[in-house]
Amino acid sequence: MTYSNSNSTWCLLTLASLGVLTATSSWARPQESGYFYGGIGVGQTRAKIDEARISASLLGAGLTTSSFARDEKDTGYKLFGGYQLSRNVALELGVFDLGRFNFSATTVPAGVLNGQLKVQGFNLDLVGTLPLTERLSLIGRVGATAARTRDQFTGSGAVAVLNPSPHQRANNYKFGGGLQYDISPAFLVRGEAERYRINDAVGNKGDVNMLSISLVFPFGRAVNTARPMAASSSYVAPAPMPAPVVVAAAPAPAPIPVPVVMPERRRVSFSAESLFGFDRSEIKPEGRAALDRFANDTRGAQFEVIVVEGHTDRLGTPAYNQKLSQRRADAVKTYLVSEGGFDANKVTANGQGEATPVTATADCKGSKPTAKLIACLQPDRRVDIEVTGTR
């Protein structure tokens, strides 16, 4: 038996997927390395049985093929475990069973040749990951296999089989690509297309393709899923409130100094990446910790008003950016009131969208979301908290 060898489409798929190995890390999630994972997959496998070659082999024995039936599809399985070496690269070891493939050739003079092939083995792959959104990623893989192929042939009538059970162990390559979706930090789903190069134990080489769905279970994976941007301070402690300004009262028979406390305004800026995940408005654990420190630093002050402003960069539509900035401002306000003990009546939340950037267009040129432009616009993605009050 032999199998199809049209590799061009598969090569293009793999090269596109493995672009993650050299792609910019501006889309990669930080703190996504240094953990083990395991998984199991199942899917459909398919091989192309070479009818012409089998018929030619029978003709060499003086037999003409009168009919040919084949079963080129089966169910394949794989069990694997890996280690995430970096945010974009993992090393994966697995075992696989590609199933069984059969054919039956009827000959003249009257006879029947039945054949079956089974492929099982181990693989070691380098797996690349390129996040497309917060949860969806493109994956690509290339690796080596150590597979055992076992053929079984039976003949009847005019067909005589000299070696009914040939088998062979051989090392070959495999590659593939697909998509991965993070249902949660501890549970992922993959959909992949893979090609396994095999030897069929009777001197032929070919390919077996597999379309599979896999469940992946990371162990100890970091929860943080924010987009890494240019380094910025996640929290800027406010300057101490000034000491009360004491203004003497007008002269009187018994002059008494009257303390007059002047309100002071302070603005604190938080990087959006330190508070939220990419395109999200739920505050991360790191963001909650930064807001807790802000609350502790201002504890004991008398506040007149607290204004929370959400800001975005100019990438995306203005309408979407406006809604995202408002959701983030509302989330910070809710946290300051519920966890920081601030008076809800004195806290307002406003979404500014992309209207008040701190970067200059001349400094951050372009409109396409390249890594360079995303990093340049990082200061525009922020949440500002303006406090007016006294100690």
Side-chain angles (χ1 to χ4, degrees):
M1 282 182 275
T2 56
Y3 305 87
S4 69
N5 290 310
S6 58
N7 290 323
S8 59
T9 301
W10 285 80
C11 289
L12 290 174
L13 173 63
T14 301
L15 290 174
S17 300
L18 288 175
V20 302
L21 301 179
T22 56
T24 172
S25 61
S26 64
W27 291 98
R29 301 178 180 90
Q31 300 180 11
E32 289 235 341
S33 60
Y35 65 85
F36 290 94
Y37 64 88
I40 186 171
V42 62
Q44 184 181 82
T45 55
R46 181 164 187 170
K48 182 173 178 59
I49 298 175
D50 192 343
E51 178 182 349
R53 188 179 185 281
I54 295 171
S55 296
S57 177
L58 290 171
L59 186 61
L63 303 172
T64 302
T65 304
S66 59
S67 66
F68 195 93
R70 74 196 79 194
D71 183 2
E72 299 176 327
K73 296 181 180 179
D74 201 5
T75 301
Y77 305 90
K78 57 182 180 177
L79 182 67
F80 55 89
Y83 185 75
Q84 196 72 31
L85 299 171
S86 70
R87 290 177 299 197
N88 299 106
V89 181
L91 192 63
E92 190 172 290
L93 177 67
V95 295
F96 59 85
D97 184 337
L98 300 181
R100 302 171 186 268
F101 310 102
N102 308 278
F103 75 88
S104 180
T106 304
T107 66
V108 177
V112 177
L113 173 64
N114 295 311
Q116 181 184 89
L117 177 141
K118 181 176 178 63
V119 183
Q120 296 174 314
F122 298 87
N123 64 279
L124 180 64
D125 292 354
L126 191 65
V127 182
T129 306
L130 175 63
L132 303 177
T133 67
E134 184 180 4
R135 295 178 181 268
L136 184 65
S137 301
L138 179 69
I139 60 174
R141 65 172 66 240
V142 62
T145 65
R148 183 186 183 190
T149 57
R150 291 178 291 177
D151 288 355
Q152 184 175 358
F153 298 101
T154 60
S156 62
V159 178
V161 176
L162 300 178
N163 184 5
S165 302
H167 62 273
Q168 182 175 357
R169 296 182 184 273
N171 299 325
N172 274 299
Y173 62 85
K174 67 181 290 284
F175 57 88
L179 295 172
Q180 174 176 284
Y181 187 77
D182 297 20
I183 294 179
S184 74
F187 181 37
L188 320 177
V189 176
R190 289 177 181 173
E192 292 184 271
E194 296 173 273
R195 171 161 287 181
Y196 294 77
R197 186 70 167 174
I198 68 164
N199 294 20
D200 71 355
V202 290
N204 306 310
K205 290 186 177 181
D207 302 306
V208 176
N209 301 329
M210 181 174 185
L211 298 175
S212 65
I213 296 293
S214 300
L215 305 181
V216 186
F217 304 94
F219 308 113
R221 183 189 189 200
V223 176
N224 185 13
T225 58
R227 279 190 305 176
M229 297 295 174
S232 63
S233 174
S234 62
Y235 170 69
V236 179
M241 290 294 183
V245 178
V246 180
V247 180
I256 301 175
V258 178
V260 178
V261 181
M262 303 298 292
E264 183 71 13
R265 304 177 75 179
R266 288 289 183 269
R267 178 177 284 261
V268 182
S269 185
F270 294 82
S271 165
E273 281 77 11
S274 69
L275 297 177
F276 308 98
F278 168 59
D279 199 28
R280 308 288 290 184
S281 57
E282 297 83 7
I283 301 176
K284 302 184 303 180
E286 297 91 333
R288 292 195 293 269
L291 293 176
D292 289 341
R293 291 193 297 273
F294 166 77
N296 289 333
D297 287 342
T298 57
R299 200 172 303 281
Q302 301 296 320
F303 298 108
E304 292 187 2
V305 64
I306 301 173
V307 178
V308 180
E309 293 181 349
H311 303 267
T312 69
D313 60 26
R314 55 184 166 85
L315 300 177
T317 65
Y320 181 82
N321 288 337
Q322 174 63 36
K323 292 179 181 179
L324 177 61
S325 66
Q326 185 64 55
R327 292 199 306 270
R328 288 179 167 178
D330 290 339
V332 172
K333 172 185 175 180
T334 299
Y335 188 84
L336 291 177
V337 172
S338 62
E339 302 296 333
F342 292 86
D343 186 347
N345 295 322
K346 295 184 177 181
V347 183
T348 61
N350 300 319
Q352 300 295 321
E354 59 187 72
T356 55
V358 297
T359 61
T361 304
D363 296 330
C364 300
K365 298 179 180 179
S367 58
K368 294 183 179 180
T370 64
K372 182 178 179 181
L373 180 58
I374 291 171
C376 185
L377 295 176
Q378 189 276 333
D380 295 342
R381 300 184 294 274
R382 67 195 189 278
V383 174
D384 294 336
I385 302 177
E386 186 172 277
V387 179
T388 303
T390 60
R391 286 192 182 278

